[in-house]
Amino acid sequence: MKSLLKPFFGIVLISVLISCGQQTEKELIATSPAPEQDPLPSWNEGSTKSAILDYVTAVTNPDSADFIPIDDRIATFDNDGNLWSEQPAYFQLFFAIDRVKVMAESHPEWKDTMPFKAVLEDDMAGLISTGEHGLLELVMATHAGMTAIEFESIVDDWLKASKHPRFDRPYNDLVYQPMLELLTYLRAHQFKTFIVSGGGVSFMRVWTEDAYGIPPDQVVGSSIKTVFEYDNGQASIRRLAELDFIDDKAGKPIGIHKYIGKRPVFASGNSDGDLQMLQYSADNTYKSFQLYLHHTDAEREWAYDRDSSIGRLDKGLDEAAAKGWTVIDMKGDWNVIYPFQVD
């Protein structure tokens, strides 16, 4: 039987080779692999885009001296002003302001008490004048006193009903299209992407998976204290009006160490509040990448840096220049800002 099969397979092999040799040039072109699509189409060609692509290519190539094992490909991103807009005020502050107005009927004393008085009178300057203490009081009054599930439902309802004052669109429409592409590109090369933000962790976890593809367990943020309650067979987490952790400035490396457990090789932010996170990433045994977003587009978004009360980028801009970190020029590097602008 073997002696019969060998000639048979030989004839089949010769037939296949002849048929391949008879393919026309047009057929060969049609069956050739399609060219690879641009993974960052909303980024203009230039040094910023090239730096990102070159870095990812180098650290994911097993034959490269800069190769990073998959388990160590940790990328951390600030949220406010880095993954979505943050002007004219942090979006979570708009949420707190709207909550004060909803809750005011049950708190008649707020009419004469700052910072609530400023909110009810739409006095943003007066609210800002109360400083961090006033803003903290506002957050404690509007973010605590309910279960975690109740709070998540309130945030979800607010996002569905509320619109940004300038763009008249839901706040979670104002995520940056180029950053969405960057997150997707990194994950395609087996980076694990995290949000590390000064914003409230429970506020962000409601919507970050839908917006960015980043699940709740990969979100690190500021938090208030909570307690476990068990009543009539019902288990719940209740939110208290006490601070637990501030995930900003030096708090960001601490939060990364505490909740992620690995130093990021890729870190992205837009303000001095992110500087320590980028420094922490830069002091890595692996080849690392530090990315700052510089808001330079007053027409399509906003232009601000050193003198801004929100998202100030001063020391970080200087350190980026001194250390050769990559800085995105929003106006020059991005051909689209938001997903709804994509043709």
Side-chain angles (χ1 to χ4, degrees):
M1 179 65 72
K2 286 182 182 179
S3 61
L4 293 174
L5 287 175
K6 282 181 72 174
F8 172 77
F9 284 123
I11 293 169
V12 171
L13 179 60
I14 291 169
S15 299
V16 170
L17 291 172
I18 291 172
S19 66
C20 289
Q22 290 175 340
Q23 278 187 295
T24 66
E25 184 178 354
K26 185 181 291 186
E27 288 172 332
L28 286 170
I29 293 172
T31 57
S32 63
E36 187 177 352
Q37 291 187 331
D38 183 356
L40 304 176
S42 297
W43 297 68
N44 293 323
E45 298 301 326
S47 59
T48 301
K49 181 175 181 176
S50 295
I52 293 169
L53 296 175
D54 290 347
Y55 172 77
V56 173
T57 299
V59 301
T60 58
N61 179 3
D63 297 325
S64 169
D66 297 319
F67 177 73
I68 299 175
I70 292 172
D71 288 346
D72 293 316
R73 295 178 197 171
I74 304 297
T76 56
F77 288 78
D78 173 53
N79 183 53
D80 294 310
N82 192 53
L83 293 181
W84 73 350
S85 290
E86 62 183 357
Q87 296 284 358
Y90 297 120
F91 294 175
Q92 192 171 352
L93 177 57
F94 282 122
F95 167 74
I97 288 171
D98 286 347
R99 288 295 299 155
V100 167
K101 294 177 178 179
V102 168
M103 299 167 64
E105 188 174 339
S106 302
H107 296 273
E109 73 279 7
W110 284 358
K111 292 186 299 181
D112 304 307
T113 307
M114 292 293 278
F116 308 100
K117 182 176 184 290
V119 171
L120 296 174
E121 294 177 355
D122 293 320
D123 179 11
M124 185 62 77
L127 175 59
I128 297 300
S129 70
T130 64
E132 289 186 10
H133 177 76
L135 297 178
L136 181 60
E137 190 174 356
L138 204 68
V139 169
M140 290 299 104
T142 57
H143 288 51
M146 72 282 285
T147 67
I149 291 177
E150 288 169 343
F151 180 75
E152 290 165 7
S153 178
I154 291 169
V155 173
D156 187 49
D157 289 343
W158 178 80
L159 284 170
K160 291 174 180 175
S162 303
K163 293 187 176 181
H164 189 273
R166 173 180 169 182
F167 293 97
D168 194 34
R169 300 187 71 97
Y171 286 92
N172 49 352
D173 275 5
L174 301 185
V175 298
Y176 298 135
Q177 176 65 25
M179 297 305 267
L180 295 180
E181 294 169 2
L182 176 56
L183 289 168
T184 300
Y185 175 59
L186 289 172
R187 289 194 290 264
H189 287 79
Q190 297 174 291
F191 282 79
K192 194 170 184 179
T193 54
F194 291 83
I195 290 175
V196 179
S197 173
V201 65
S202 296
F203 176 82
M204 293 185 289
R205 284 175 173 170
V206 174
W207 53 271
T208 56
E209 188 159 20
D210 285 340
Y212 307 130
I214 297 179
D217 60 309
Q218 289 169 218
V219 178
V220 180
S222 300
S223 59
I224 62 176
K225 291 183 179 180
T226 56
V227 293
F228 172 75
E229 294 180 341
Y230 191 75
D231 186 29
N232 292 323
Q234 298 294 314
S236 62
I237 301 294
R238 182 162 294 276
R239 298 167 60 81
L240 305 178
E242 297 179 58
L243 272 178
D244 179 41
F245 176 65
I246 298 295
D247 189 48
D248 195 34
K249 299 178 182 176
K252 291 200 172 189
I254 293 171
I256 291 169
H257 173 73
K258 184 175 182 179
Y259 296 108
I260 300 175
K262 288 191 174 184
R263 193 182 297 243
V265 295
F266 190 108
S268 173
N270 75 290
S271 74
D272 286 354
D274 305 309
L275 177 58
Q276 289 86 345
M277 177 173 72
L278 270 66
Q279 291 171 332
Y280 186 54
S281 168
D283 189 25
N284 201 308
T285 55
Y286 292 115
K287 182 180 178 66
S288 62
F289 195 93
Q290 291 68 50
L291 183 65
Y292 254 130
L293 171 54
H294 189 190
H295 292 262
T296 56
D297 199 326
E299 183 178 344
R300 294 185 299 172
E301 205 239 12
W302 285 271
Y304 58 98
D305 44 45
R306 298 183 188 274
D307 298 322
S308 178
S309 60
I310 294 173
R312 177 183 286 114
L313 180 58
D314 182 22
K315 294 178 181 178
L317 207 54
D318 293 338
E319 187 145 353
K323 295 187 174 179
W325 295 347
T326 301
V327 178
I328 301 166
D329 174 356
M330 179 182 279
K331 186 175 182 178
D333 286 326
W334 288 357
N335 58 64
V336 163
I337 304 295
Y338 303 117
F340 58 83
Q341 297 170 333
V342 175
D343 187 1

